Amino acid sequence: GEDVEQSLFLSVREGDSSVINCTYTDSSSTYLYWYKQEPGAGLQLLTYIFSNMDMKQDQRLTVLLNKKDKHLSLRIADTQTGDSAIYFCADSTGNTGKLIFGQGTTLQVKP
Amino acid sequence: GAVVSQHPSRVICKSGTSVKIECRSLDFQATTMFWYRQFPKKSLMLMATSNEGSKATYEQGVEKDKFLINHASLTLSTLTVTSAHPEDSSFYICSATRTGQSLTFGQGTRLTVV
């Protein structure tokens, strides 16, 4: 079945850029998403990219998609301590709304 | 924007009892709601897909008699954990959507079975 993989942990210093990587197996993915989860909270949609795009920028966030390699990344510029959270990538197929999530990457931002 | 409210945010129950978790779309009519379970330091596992007025579709390995899902209206879906055991302790999250709209997640419910 479909699978989404992420590295589990990333530590950066405040002000640096963070890059969180994700790989997926489903070649028919239509949308790919990045969600943020703060401790004890639900998921907050950060951004998403349609599968026929290779880049999307939204303020401090840049999403890069390499469809050939099925690789997705999220770059956070000027990372702040408030960015510390778990980041999930997810892919969906069609319009069902069903998402397959990666394991989540814990981002630790050191002052 | 779209808002989904999940209630309760935390619940502690005794082993053997049942617990109901509500998921409400506050400002839109959700044709489809999803229920996820999140284990500590793990990803979200999709448990079931719930369409208003029809039976939920459960993912493989999820016991439908254990996790009862009801989607009686376009704004409310409920998950009932029946005869809860300590291994059911987890973080449960719902999400809701309608055609053409991205998913909106609830805040999650921390269930602890003692």
Side-chain angles (χ1 to χ4, degrees), chain B residues 33 35 50 54 56 58 68-73 76-80:
Chain B
M33 289 186 172
W35 287 95
S50 166
S54 61
Y58 288 82
L68 299 178
I69 292 172
N70 185 289
H71 192 162
S73 76
L76 174 65
S77 177
T78 59
L79 167 67
T80 302

Side-chain angles (χ1 to χ4, degrees), chain A residues 75-93:
Chain A
R75 179 177 180 269
I76 305 173
D78 186 25
T79 313
Q80 303 297 307
T81 53
D83 295 324
S84 294
I86 303 175
Y87 291 80
F88 290 93
C89 68
D91 88 271
S92 73
T93 54

Side-chain angles (χ1 to χ4, degrees), chain A residues 3-7 21-24 89 101-103:
Chain A
D3 193 24
V4 178
E5 297 278 338
Q6 294 177 243
S7 51
N21 294 301
C22 173
T23 57
Y24 60 98
C89 68
F101 286 87
Q103 310 95 310

Side-chain angles (χ1 to χ4, degrees), chain B residues 28 37 51 71 82-83 90:
Chain B
F28 68 101
R37 180 175 179 177
N51 291 296
H71 192 162
T82 62
S83 187
S90 196

Side-chain angles (χ1 to χ4, degrees), chain A residues 1-110:
Chain A
E2 302 111 348
D3 193 24
V4 178
E5 297 278 338
Q6 294 177 243
S7 51
L8 296 181
F9 186 79
L10 175 66
S11 180
V12 300
R13 292 217 172 270
E14 194 173 16
D16 289 349
S17 291
S18 308
V19 179
I20 302 171
N21 294 301
C22 173
T23 57
Y24 60 98
T25 59
D26 186 358
S27 57
S28 60
S29 292
T30 50
Y31 287 93
L32 294 135
Y33 300 84
W34 284 104
Y35 286 89
K36 177 182 180 182
Q37 185 182 33
E38 294 182 2
L43 297 178
Q44 173 195 356
L45 176 63
L46 285 180
T47 187
Y48 64 92
I49 188 167
F50 190 48
S51 59
N52 69 353
M53 299 168 65
D54 51 21
M55 187 183 94
K56 181 178 180 181
Q57 187 152 1
D58 185 359
Q59 299 182 332
R60 293 191 296 124
L61 305 178
T62 304
V63 178
L64 296 178
L65 174 61
N66 181 328
K67 198 173 179 183
K68 175 175 167 287
D69 295 338
K70 297 191 183 70
H71 182 268
L72 181 74
S73 68
L74 173 69
R75 179 177 180 269
I76 305 173
D78 186 25
T79 313
Q80 303 297 307
T81 53
D83 295 324
S84 294
I86 303 175
Y87 291 80
F88 290 93
C89 68
D91 88 271
S92 73
T93 54
N95 293 316
T96 63
K98 179 177 172 179
L99 296 182
I100 306 298
F101 286 87
Q103 310 95 310
T105 300
T106 298
L107 174 63
Q108 179 189 67
V109 182
K110 297 179 180 177

Side-chain angles (χ1 to χ4, degrees), chain B residues 2-101:
Chain B
V3 178
V4 172
S5 175
Q6 201 172 324
H7 178 81
S9 57
R10 288 180 181 274
V11 58
I12 300 172
C13 73
K14 289 186 177 179
S15 190
T17 62
S18 295
V19 173
K20 182 185 283 188
I21 303 169
E22 292 187 347
C23 180
R24 290 181 186 273
S25 54
L26 297 186
D27 52 0
F28 68 101
Q29 294 186 320
T31 48
T32 306
M33 289 186 172
F34 300 89
W35 287 95
Y36 297 85
R37 180 175 179 177
Q38 185 179 29
F39 295 92
K41 299 184 180 179
K42 297 272 188 180
S43 183
L44 288 92
M45 179 190 78
L46 177 65
M47 298 173 68
T49 303
S50 166
N51 291 296
E52 185 267 337
S54 61
K55 288 184 179 179
T57 303
Y58 288 82
E59 296 297 305
Q60 194 172 5
V62 178
E63 298 174 62
K64 54 184 71 174
D65 294 331
K66 172 79 172 172
F67 299 100
L68 299 178
I69 292 172
N70 185 289
H71 192 162
S73 76
L74 283 170
T75 60
L76 174 65
S77 177
T78 59
L79 167 67
T80 302
V81 183
T82 62
S83 187
H85 287 98
E87 57 264 31
D88 299 324
S89 298
S90 196
F91 193 61
Y92 293 87
I93 304 179
C94 71
S95 67
T97 187
R98 65 177 179 199
T99 304
Q101 180 177 293

